[in-house]
Amino acid sequence: MIKKSILFITLFAVGLFSYGQNSGKAKALLDEVYNKVQSYDNIYIDFQSTLENTEANLKQETNGNVTLDGEKYLLNYFGAKQMYDGKKVYTVVPENEEVTIEDVNEDNDNVSPSKMLTFYKTGHNYEWDILQNVGGRKIQYVKLIPIDSNTEIKSVLLGIDTQTKHIYKLIQTGSNGTKTTITVNSFKTNQPISSTLFTFDEKKYEDKGYYIIRN
């Protein structure tokens, strides 16, 4: 659960991200979001997440944050941490006292952030959805529907601030009825970051007695 959620949030962070006229409008807006994100040296996002499944009587709420610099990222979510240093992905789960170290496999869902930035460009149909006023901000929603009917994701709604072209909200509905809502509390760009922020210190965790898993 934690690992899937982490990958989903990463997708949201960097993805900041019907046919005919409405479909063209939707894709054009997504392209504006992508180009805006690409123009920043780095991005810091603080967010709130809600995971809900009515049938399973499940509701989880948490806050998290992610720092992105090119393909590299550092994500804190559900008490766990995931980092990508440009070569490997490190997932640290203090609750289990374990660290998973793995390569990025471009052939499966565990893709690199650079690919996540363009996830919407293929494999989806686009729909122009509702426009909301949120505290004076105009939030335009775009719905992404996977073309592959066998995917675990039924649809993704992206709420985009029409002025800043930043993602304000993401609502993912799974084929199993689970709905995940991500709301951005704060979106900062071009922040001063440490040169060692994306450096993983394996010895530090070995000294703590963590179990190291290599995939």
Side-chain angles (χ1 to χ4, degrees), residues 59-75:
K59 186 172 183 179
Q60 294 178 320
E61 296 181 332
T62 190
N63 291 324
N65 60 74
V66 61
T67 301
L68 304 113
D69 185 353
E71 291 191 347
K72 300 176 182 180
Y73 65 84
L74 176 63
L75 172 71

Side-chain angles (χ1 to χ4, degrees), residues 2-49:
I2 287 177
K3 192 169 182 182
K4 277 195 172 183
S5 297
I6 283 175
L7 290 175
F8 167 67
I9 297 296
T10 307
L11 169 70
F12 158 73
V14 295
L16 310 201
F17 321 176
S18 70
Y19 293 93
Q21 185 177 6
N22 282 345
S23 176
K25 282 170 59 179
K27 187 175 184 303
L29 182 56
L30 290 172
D31 285 340
E32 285 189 80
V33 173
Y34 169 75
N35 291 332
K36 193 69 177 287
V37 167
Q38 287 286 76
S39 71
Y40 300 127
D41 291 334
N42 59 66
I43 300 171
Y44 173 84
I45 299 173
D46 180 87
F47 59 86
Q48 181 179 34
S49 170

Side-chain angles (χ1 to χ4, degrees), residues 19 24 30 33 69 96 98 100 113 117 128 189 194 212:
Y19 293 93
L30 290 172
V33 173
D69 185 353
N96 300 336
E98 68 178 29
T100 302
L117 278 170
W128 192 256
T189 62
S194 167
I212 309 295

Side-chain angles (χ1 to χ4, degrees), residues 69-192:
D69 185 353
E71 291 191 347
K72 300 176 182 180
Y73 65 84
L74 176 63
L75 172 71
N76 295 289
Y77 182 62
F78 269 126
K81 177 169 73 173
Q82 187 176 78
M83 185 184 76
Y84 177 62
D85 63 3
K87 296 179 180 179
K88 292 185 180 294
V89 176
Y90 306 87
T91 304
V92 181
V93 185
E95 183 180 1
N96 300 336
E97 294 190 345
E98 68 178 29
V99 176
T100 302
I101 303 174
E102 56 193 328
D103 293 321
V104 172
N105 187 343
E106 299 290 347
D107 295 328
N108 62 28
D109 291 336
N110 185 14
V111 296
S112 69
S114 59
K115 188 173 180 181
M116 290 174 185
L117 278 170
T118 58
F119 82 98
Y120 70 88
K121 290 180 178 288
T122 59
H124 294 86
N125 291 325
Y126 313 101
E127 293 181 2
W128 192 256
D129 213 271
I130 64 172
L131 177 68
Q132 286 186 338
N133 188 308
V134 179
R137 300 164 64 190
K138 292 183 178 179
I139 308 297
Q140 176 64 56
Y141 282 86
V142 171
K143 179 180 280 189
L144 283 72
I145 303 172
I147 295 173
D148 181 3
S149 59
N150 294 320
T151 182
E152 294 181 1
I153 300 173
K154 185 177 179 181
S155 66
V156 177
L157 263 177
L158 289 178
I160 300 164
D161 186 316
T162 59
Q163 181 176 358
T164 64
K165 300 302 186 294
H166 293 163
I167 300 294
Y168 165 71
K169 183 172 287 191
L170 181 149
I171 304 170
Q172 174 183 285
T173 303
S175 55
N176 63 353
T178 299
K179 180 179 287 187
T180 306
T181 302
I182 309 296
T183 305
V184 173
N185 296 323
S186 142
F187 190 106
K188 299 178 182 179
T189 62
N190 302 336
Q191 299 293 295

